[in-house]
Amino acid sequence: MSDAGILLGLVQSGSQIATVCTEPAAIAYAAALAVELLGLEPERLEVVTSAGVFKNALGASLPGTPRRGPAAAAALGAVVRNSGAQLKILQALTPDRIAAAHAFLDKGHVAADADCGRDSVYVRVVAKAQGHAAEVVIAGGHSSIQSATIDGRDVMQGMRITRAPDAGPSGTGGCELACLAEWPFQRVVKAALGVDPADAVFVRQGALSNMELAEAVLSARCPLNTSLGQPPLGLHLLGLTASQTAPALDHKARSMVSAAVTARMTGQDWPVLTSAGSGNQGITVAIPVLLVANAVGADAGRQTTALVVAHAVNLYVHSFIGEVSPACGSVSAATGVAAAACWLLGGNMQQLEAAAQLVIGNLLGMLCDGAKASCALKCGTAAVEGILAGQWARESVSLRQGIGIIGDSLAGTLGLAREIIKRGLRQADGVIIEARRPV
């Protein structure tokens, strides 16, 4: 398989439609499938996730309910029982289903915990009833089913759940995300540029939907959920109003990205195209790249190619730091924006790599403290810094090797970043979980 084909498969794997934060969505998906396999009314659900998934699920709001957290997501999934929807499973929840999930929770039938020894995406749900147990494990991607058993018996074969269709490696020639870390940056970008825009129309369609969400929020056509237990982050805190005319491209990018992320993190079930498995990153990648593309008059094909570059570079960063990391995912998204913006402005390969290096050198220390409304602030910052880095690199601004964490290549920088996260930041997730876990 060609590099372009491998990369397109990886982009497809990380770019799915999700209606809420992908971590609670993955938990709900696993719970729904476990209950469906059990074939009985569940008496108990047991949920174990990696620390990063648990942390993000703690703070992200869910549609139609003030409750949040891994247990709430599992209860909703168990009530909905529509595993075919995958990461869209919590879309259009009805009041009676929400009430049933609340009752299940209130009876103490759901136990949820974090396994701080596990990295990246990992969700295990066991549904029990009448002495029987069904177990579903998601790993390696938010909708990638690793195993499914009933009373310890493997039921993967013949049940059409061997792998989610967009969670390859079936479409990547056997190359998983980690394979990208073995590629130099230029190989990643050349592969992205080699993708036929006709094969990647989904990234532009998803980007337009992400941008439409931002426009709907800023025009009040998509009102924020103010019925939650605590007020959502108000757009006025970000200096945004529906009538405000953005004086500059970077300000407009901050406004639109922040608006869309605020809506998503406060329970709005608008369908969002993810990037590297994250809806917030999908928003942060899509909107700035489309704004720059529109500013330079790029046609639909060129817009699509720029978006593929952005998604690919985002994935490249994740191949080093992990799918769910103690480092904020908006940083990797901004790196993709920088490379794509530089390319749209006519930058060469060296300048694209310089743009990515500028972002990592600037933002790597941004900590992921869970998915919640204030992610809008970080994603807005990332959108601006991505655009500026792309512009600066096009004018030959760069960071030299040895300045801070900057290596002789983006791969060298990311290799050091991986060690910093592994040896310095990994314990942060556990600290945050203990501080924010409900008592």
Side-chain angles (χ1 to χ4, degrees):
M1 180 176 284
S2 68
D3 281 0
I6 291 170
L7 188 66
L8 179 59
L10 290 171
V11 170
Q12 288 175 318
S13 178
S15 300
Q16 305 169 48
I17 297 296
T19 52
V20 297
C21 178
T22 49
E23 277 73 46
I27 294 169
Y29 171 38
L33 182 54
V35 171
E36 289 169 0
L37 292 175
L38 185 65
L40 300 166
E41 283 299 314
E43 298 169 359
R44 181 173 175 80
L45 294 177
E46 296 174 355
V47 182
V48 176
T49 78
S50 61
V53 169
F54 197 94
K55 173 189 65 179
N56 283 342
L58 277 178
S61 295
L62 301 170
T65 173
R67 305 202 187 188
R68 60 187 64 167
L76 287 168
V79 169
V80 172
R81 302 182 197 180
N82 180 23
S83 65
Q86 295 190 4
L87 299 184
K88 295 182 286 185
I89 191 169
L90 297 181
Q91 188 172 18
L93 288 170
T94 59
D96 58 332
R97 285 178 169 176
I98 292 172
H102 287 179
F104 196 68
L105 285 168
D106 291 342
K107 292 176 182 176
H109 291 337
V110 186
D113 204 357
D115 182 348
C116 292
R118 289 191 178 274
D119 299 325
S120 199
V121 176
Y122 178 84
V123 176
R124 174 178 173 266
V125 176
V126 180
K128 296 181 176 181
Q130 300 180 24
H132 298 282
E135 177 190 276
V136 171
V137 175
I138 288 176
H142 290 80
S143 61
S144 179
I145 304 300
Q146 183 183 72
S147 67
T149 63
I150 300 176
D151 295 332
R153 175 172 53 88
D154 186 358
V155 294
M156 289 284 284
Q157 296 301 320
M159 298 199 67
R160 299 182 182 179
I161 57 170
T162 52
R163 287 191 76 86
D166 49 6
S170 59
T172 62
C175 180
E176 298 276 10
L177 177 62
C179 294
L180 280 188
E182 301 172 5
W183 292 20
F185 174 81
Q186 294 192 10
R187 182 179 175 185
V188 174
V189 174
K190 287 179 180 177
L193 296 177
V195 171
D196 186 340
D199 295 330
V201 291
F202 67 93
V203 297
R204 184 170 181 271
Q205 291 170 345
L208 292 171
S209 178
N210 293 1
M211 182 172 277
E212 186 181 353
L213 170 59
E215 292 169 342
V217 174
L218 290 173
S219 65
R221 289 186 290 113
C222 176
L224 296 177
N225 187 351
T226 57
S227 65
L228 302 175
Q230 63 181 39
L233 179 68
L235 293 181
H236 66 281
L237 296 179
L238 304 170
L240 314 177
T241 64
S243 62
Q244 185 175 32
T245 300
L249 188 64
D250 56 349
H251 180 89
K252 186 173 183 180
R254 184 192 295 275
S255 299
M256 296 187 74
V257 168
S258 297
V261 171
T262 298
R264 186 169 180 272
M265 289 289 96
T266 52
Q268 173 57 243
D269 62 356
W270 190 287
V272 165
L273 185 73
T274 66
S275 182
S278 164
N280 285 356
Q281 291 174 50
I283 291 168
T284 307
V285 161
I287 291 175
V289 172
L290 279 184
L291 289 175
V292 175
N294 289 334
V296 301
D299 61 17
R302 192 167 175 82
Q303 290 179 18
T304 300
T305 297
L307 287 163
V308 172
V309 169
H311 282 282
V313 173
N314 186 25
L315 285 170
Y316 186 58
V317 176
H318 278 286
S319 72
F320 286 86
I321 69 173
E323 292 167 286
V324 179
S325 170
C328 182
S330 68
V331 178
S332 59
T335 307
V337 171
C342 189
W343 179 77
L344 284 166
L345 295 170
N348 59 35
M349 192 67 73
Q350 289 72 32
Q351 290 169 332
L352 265 66
E353 188 163 13
Q357 293 267 49
L358 283 168
V359 171
I360 299 299
N362 180 5
L363 298 180
L364 180 68
M366 189 183 291
L367 182 69
C368 173
D369 54 345
K372 69 284 181 222
S374 63
C375 290
L377 297 168
K378 296 181 180 182
C379 291
T381 296
V384 171
E385 296 305 323
I387 291 174
L388 293 178
Q391 293 173 330
W392 291 341
R394 179 64 181 88
E395 299 302 320
S396 299
V397 176
S398 64
L399 291 173
R400 297 190 306 276
Q401 178 183 1
I403 294 179
I405 65 168
I406 299 300
D408 61 350
S409 64
L410 182 60
T413 301
L414 292 174
L416 178 55
R418 175 171 53 198
E419 289 303 306
I420 292 170
I421 291 168
K422 180 179 178 180
R423 293 155 58 182
L425 290 181
R426 176 104 355 125
Q427 297 180 37
D429 282 348
V431 173
I432 293 169
I433 289 170
E434 287 305 312
R436 294 292 174 254
R437 188 194 298 267
V439 295

